[in-house]
Amino acid sequence: MTAAVTPEAGAADAPVEAAPAMTRRHILQAMSGLMAGMFVAILASTVVSNALPRIISDLNGSQSSYTWVVTAELLAMTATVPIWGKLSDLYDKKLLIQLSLSMFVVGSLVAGFSHSVGLLIVSRVVQGIGAGGLTALAQVVMAAIIPPRELGRYSGVFGAVFAVGTVAGPLIGGVLVDTSWLGWRWCFFIGVPFALLAIVLLQLTLKLPTVRREVKIDYVGAVLIMSGVSALLLWVTLAGNRFDWLSWQTAALVITGVLLLVAAVVVESRVPEPIIPLDIFRNRTVTLTTVASLLVGVAMFGGTVFLSQYFQISLGKTPTVAGLMSLPMILGLMISTTVAGQIISARGKWKGFLIAGGIIMTAGMGLLATIGADSSFGLLSVYMVVLGVGVGMLMQNLVLAAQNDVPASELGSATSVLSFFRSLGGAIGTSALGAVLGHRVTSELEKSFGGAAGGGATHGIPDLSTLPEPARQVVEHAYGVATAEVFLVGAPFAFLALIAVLFIKEKPLKTTSGMERLAEENAAAAKASTTATH
């Protein structure tokens, strides 16, 4: 099978044209479609956050369903990120991004027309596969056209898109849910026009040189990785809820997951084109940034995904107000990402921001572990700003550190590995901390209502408007205590991410783009090959 391939994948014997450095104008044009695609992915996840309590209530779902609607997308995205990343080393990146956006459109339409929690979860899986492509490919393309030293100058654009999507999403979602003639279904429909616009912009603006070479896709490895990860995530999600942590179901899922992943490692070590090249972990920077990304995913996603539920149930706010209440964290993230990026580009030093980000994120998680049903918005805002600043300094710069320290031919693999483990951490965190929240809510309600009433009360997301005042106060208190515990459990993971960051060795940022580096690497390899034959 012969295919169009981006230059990062070119072997030494594949002809690659030296790519001239792109001007700032050309880079911004190329980023327009890329950022539109990222906006779609961000909007799709954030626009649903404030609508989920209403969606699950309308579809007669449970607390487990609430977690699964979030986890399904994360699971699909996690399992497919390394596959998209590897494909980006083999095939046309622009076509792959457009394909992922098309899948996103299909998933959004199915979600909007869903009439059961089961169909909604399936649609979220399709959305997650599309999001996996966007997550892996957007950063790969940016690394291909922008030198690591200059990436910080464009992080403001990325930060602005991230901020607009994250800020606008919950607000739009809240307004849609609170508007009777629209409703929550439009939370899924609203992203479709933006996805279609992104496909068109990418076609018009993104120009990457391609080569042609023989490729082999590791389908066996891909299936084993997805199956193994899925088995373990199913265990984390269902254990403590559908069955005990120590049970035959736990043993079956864990053993199955571990065996599948061991088989995947064996396959990946032997095939010529592995989905996750194991050699990449010989690079200390890649290994440490991967560990840190996994831990950041557990702490950040696992903690923040339940904040909207806390605002609406524990504090009794409407979806629209809940969206507004998330602004401090987003603003903290946007400002820290932009400022850190500019300083890194100017000075070329990045490790200090990783360390500071780890410290600040850990502090933010710890502060949010003290919240309750009576916490003031002013105090919550301070805590959320602290968490946002820490995450903003840490998350994007982990990718920068890894991309700067690998050959251009491994940019796709290195980037997708980091995205994969961050998403894996997010899925694990959402599932495990969702189980922690559900268990603590049940425990608190049982204390007040008694065993039978407490158990029944937690089968679904409560509608506070239908509860008498004494019961409402009990439910608000239960969700406040449970949300604080989620952050308390998540804080040690943030601290471990800081420990991993401390051992990363700082290296000077390269001043050439991925395309230029690839041309140089291939030229050097061709010269070495010619010398060897003579």
Side-chain angles (χ1 to χ4, degrees):
M1 176 173 61
T2 304
V5 185
T6 47
E8 286 88 297
D13 57 352
V16 181
E17 297 179 4
M22 296 177 66
T23 65
R24 181 177 175 84
R25 175 172 169 270
H26 289 149
I27 290 175
L28 290 174
Q29 286 179 340
M31 286 179 64
S32 63
L34 205 60
M35 293 300 99
M38 288 300 297
F39 179 75
V40 168
I42 296 165
L43 183 68
S45 59
T46 57
V47 77
V48 178
S49 60
N50 285 328
L52 267 180
R54 186 74 57 84
I55 294 172
I56 299 302
S57 178
D58 287 353
L59 297 180
N60 299 315
S62 63
Q63 177 66 52
S64 177
S65 301
Y66 184 103
T67 302
W68 263 108
V69 170
V70 177
T71 305
E73 184 187 19
L74 277 173
L75 173 60
M77 180 173 68
T78 300
T80 57
V81 158
I83 299 173
W84 286 109
K86 184 60 184 178
L87 291 176
S88 76
D89 280 340
L90 303 177
Y91 294 106
D92 187 337
K93 291 181 177 63
K94 179 165 72 174
L95 182 62
L96 289 171
I97 295 179
Q98 291 172 321
L99 176 61
S100 65
L101 281 165
S102 300
M103 295 190 69
F104 207 89
V105 169
V106 172
S108 297
L109 291 174
V110 173
F113 289 112
S114 296
H115 287 279
S116 68
V117 171
L119 183 59
L120 178 62
I121 291 173
V122 170
S123 71
R124 295 287 284 175
V125 170
V126 178
Q127 281 189 313
I129 295 173
L134 292 168
T135 300
L137 297 168
Q139 296 184 90
V140 173
V141 171
M142 287 180 67
I145 63 177
I146 307 172
R149 180 66 185 262
E150 299 297 318
L151 271 173
R153 300 190 189 279
Y154 298 93
S155 64
V157 178
F158 180 83
V161 171
F162 187 92
V164 170
T166 311
V167 171
L171 293 177
I172 293 171
V175 171
L176 291 174
V177 169
D178 289 338
T179 304
S180 59
W181 53 276
L182 288 173
W184 60 262
R185 296 184 186 278
W186 280 93
C187 291
F188 300 102
F189 295 146
I190 196 169
V192 173
F194 293 102
L196 297 175
L197 174 63
I199 292 173
V200 173
L201 286 174
L202 285 167
Q203 184 63 35
L204 296 175
T205 62
L206 185 58
K207 309 293 182 184
L208 291 173
T210 60
V211 299
R212 299 183 70 84
R213 72 177 177 96
E214 199 74 12
V215 297
K216 294 181 180 179
I217 302 299
D218 176 23
Y219 295 107
V220 174
V223 171
L224 288 172
I225 291 170
M226 288 192 295
S227 301
V229 170
S230 298
L232 293 178
L233 289 179
L234 282 172
W235 165 61
V236 173
T237 302
L238 300 178
N241 182 19
R242 299 292 180 86
F243 51 80
D244 293 333
W245 286 97
L246 298 177
S247 64
W248 69 265
Q249 293 98 329
T250 287
L253 286 172
V254 171
I255 292 173
T256 299
V258 170
L259 289 177
L260 287 169
L261 291 178
V262 169
V265 170
V266 173
V267 170
E268 295 297 272
S269 66
R270 296 181 178 180
V271 297
E273 297 283 359
I275 294 296
I276 300 179
L278 300 182
D279 288 348
I280 204 170
F281 291 109
R282 293 178 181 174
N283 184 308
R284 175 179 170 179
T285 301
V286 171
T287 301
L288 289 171
T289 53
T290 297
V291 171
S293 293
L294 173 72
L295 295 167
V296 168
V298 172
M300 185 190 70
F301 287 103
T304 58
V305 75
F306 298 105
L307 268 179
S308 179
Q309 190 179 42
Y310 162 75
F311 293 147
Q312 293 182 57
I313 296 179
S314 188
L315 301 186
K317 306 300 182 182
T318 65
T320 302
V321 173
L324 289 169
M325 292 181 73
S326 65
L327 286 176
M329 184 167 64
I330 305 310
L331 291 175
L333 189 151
M334 180 187 69
I335 293 171
S336 67
T337 299
T338 304
V339 173
Q342 294 293 328
I343 296 175
I344 288 172
S345 285
R347 298 180 55 203
K349 302 290 185 181
W350 46 267
K351 185 174 178 179
F353 289 99
L354 290 181
I355 296 174
I359 294 172
I360 296 171
M361 186 177 78
T362 303
M365 295 289 289
L367 291 171
L368 285 166
T370 65
I371 63 176
D374 56 350
S375 297
S376 68
F377 178 62
L379 201 59
L380 285 170
S381 297
V382 173
Y383 295 170
M384 287 189 289
V385 166
V386 173
L387 180 60
V389 168
V391 171
M393 286 186 179
L394 192 60
M395 193 164 59
Q396 188 65 21
N397 291 322
L398 286 171
V399 178
L400 173 64
Q403 289 178 337
N404 182 63
D405 202 31
V406 297
S409 58
E410 294 180 356
L411 272 176
S413 297
T415 305
S416 65
V417 162
L418 258 68
S419 298
F420 169 71
F421 280 97
R422 185 175 63 239
S423 299
L424 177 62
I428 292 173
T430 301
S431 301
L433 297 182
V436 169
L437 185 141
H439 177 76
R440 187 59 189 268
V441 167
T442 300
S443 175
E444 290 296 318
L445 294 183
E446 285 177 351
K447 289 180 184 177
S448 301
F449 294 130
T458 58
H459 285 312
I461 303 295
D463 184 352
L464 296 184
S465 63
T466 64
L467 297 178
E469 185 60 28
R472 176 174 176 157
Q473 290 179 358
V474 170
V475 171
E476 289 175 347
H477 173 75
Y479 273 86
V481 170
T483 305
E485 184 166 324
V486 163
F487 284 102
L488 182 63
V489 174
F493 292 96
F495 179 73
L496 290 174
L498 169 62
I499 299 301
V501 162
L502 289 173
F503 289 96
I504 298 175
K505 182 179 179 181
E506 184 165 30
K507 297 183 180 180
L509 293 176
K510 293 182 173 68
T511 56
T512 52
S513 69
M515 291 189 294
E516 295 171 299
R517 286 156 55 195
L518 182 74
E520 293 171 2
E521 290 169 14
N522 282 340
K527 183 178 179 180
S529 178
T530 302
T531 302
T533 56
H534 289 80

